[in-house]
Amino acid sequence: MALNYIWVGFFIIAFLCSLFEFFFNHNTAIFQEIITALFDRAKTGFELSLGLSGMMTLWLGIMKIGEKAGAVDLLSKAVSPLFTRLFPEIPKNHSSMGSMMMNFSANMLGLDNAATPLGLKAMKELQSLNPNKDTASNAQIMFLVLNSSGLTIIPVSILALRMSSGSVNPTDVFVPILMATICSTLVGLIATALFQRINLLQPVVLAYLFAVIAFVGGIGYYVNGKSQAEIEVFTSLFSNLLLFGVIISFIVMGLLSKINIYEAFIDGAKEGFNVAITIVPYLVAMLCAVGVFTASGAMEILLSGVRCLVDLLGMDNRFVDGLPTAFMKPLSGGGARGLMAESWKIHGVDSFVGKLTSIIQGSTETTFYILAVYFGSVGIKKTRHAVSAGLIAEVAGIVAAIAIAYMFFG
């Protein structure tokens, strides 16, 4: 329903702005510009989705090998000691623990199709432990916030879209996205723990947090003071090496597990093609709405106000052009994707703004959508501090994305 209001709102605001341009500024070409933008964005949306199909086919094929080889199970076991402390209300051997860990593991590997049903299953199992069926429990809120923080190791769709948009080096945002999404998850975890009075100063929890912070801090320390060229070389080398390492490790795991690697790849590749084709109408719809909104001058009015405020504060205002993606992200993943693609069209996919919106898109998840789907699936009406904690994580991810974009791409 929220997406419906957003989509219609773009067209209504664009219509009002175009009328203002026509009657008060005597801009007789405004309606032609809007229609041209509408048709142009429809073409762009289809071209992006077509380019996306190859990349999605490849990566979901690779991911299916990892899934069948036990990569998801391995990740589940790796985070099990942490989760038992973050969800103290859940009995140790309860089925919900396994479903949650499988959901998080699938999200980390970019297995969206597998993650959603696992998440809904976990929510239903958590609901069986919930004494107040219409009110979210602490465990359900922690699960939702960690989901909405969007921790993803491999942002498949963003890399695929960058490649299909003609990026010279589509993976150069990989490390920045990873750092931003980790920051979002850490802040979301800490905020929820404070709401729920969970002690994070336990040795096991601190060990996990220290490892994550050391990883992010280590990368930040390494790139600090280096030239732009040196940072780009490091990011490209590290990102591509890590991605290729994941592919090789999945294949080796498949060999050791004695699965039919080729058949597993084909099974996943079929899913990838279907995902890419399915996204066509959604991407075209949002790009058209955003294109009309931009062509009418409404987007520039919005950004001009923010840009003036930033200038008064004496700050670099280049990040302002990436804010529409940030504003949309908590409401709609499709809408944010459309605004990200729009920023690429205007500024270039390899521009500072193009890279910033890529990082923002990968730093967090769609908080309100996740809350609606997951809580709605079990009939929860009272969300307690879920929205507050989720939005705190969302804002942290966006702020981190901006800071990291300046760190890596200056």
Side-chain angles (χ1 to χ4, degrees), residues 73-96:
D73 291 334
L74 193 63
L75 277 172
S76 296
K77 292 177 182 178
V79 298
S80 178
L82 174 65
F83 278 17
T84 55
R85 289 161 176 80
L86 295 183
F87 298 93
E89 301 171 353
I90 302 176
K92 188 173 183 180
N93 296 319
H94 193 266
S95 58
S96 61

Side-chain angles (χ1 to χ4, degrees), residues 116-243:
T116 300
L118 285 169
L120 293 175
K121 182 173 182 291
M123 184 57 67
K124 289 179 181 178
E125 290 169 346
L126 289 172
Q127 183 71 346
S128 68
L129 298 172
N130 187 4
N132 301 313
K133 298 303 181 184
D134 65 338
T135 304
S137 67
N138 283 347
Q140 288 173 318
I141 293 173
M142 177 66 80
F143 174 58
L144 261 294
V145 171
L146 292 179
N147 254 282
S148 64
S149 68
L151 181 60
T152 304
I153 296 175
I154 304 176
V156 177
S157 62
I158 296 173
L159 301 182
L161 283 170
R162 285 179 57 78
M163 178 173 288
S164 66
S165 296
S167 174
V168 175
N169 186 4
T171 60
D172 62 357
V173 297
F174 176 78
V175 172
I177 287 175
L178 184 59
M179 294 176 68
T181 190
I182 287 174
C183 290
S184 173
T185 300
L186 283 176
V187 172
L189 171 61
I190 293 170
T192 309
L194 289 174
F195 275 117
Q196 299 181 3
R197 299 182 181 179
I198 295 175
N199 180 19
L200 296 180
L201 301 179
Q202 303 175 59
V204 173
V205 177
L206 289 176
Y208 277 90
L209 295 181
F210 177 78
V212 172
I213 293 171
F215 173 77
V216 176
I219 294 177
Y221 177 79
Y222 180 81
V223 301
N224 185 42
K226 293 197 175 333
S227 68
Q228 189 64 42
E230 289 175 320
I231 293 175
E232 288 179 0
V233 170
F234 164 75
T235 306
S236 177
L237 176 62
F238 186 83
S239 300
N240 290 315
L241 184 61
L242 185 57
L243 288 170

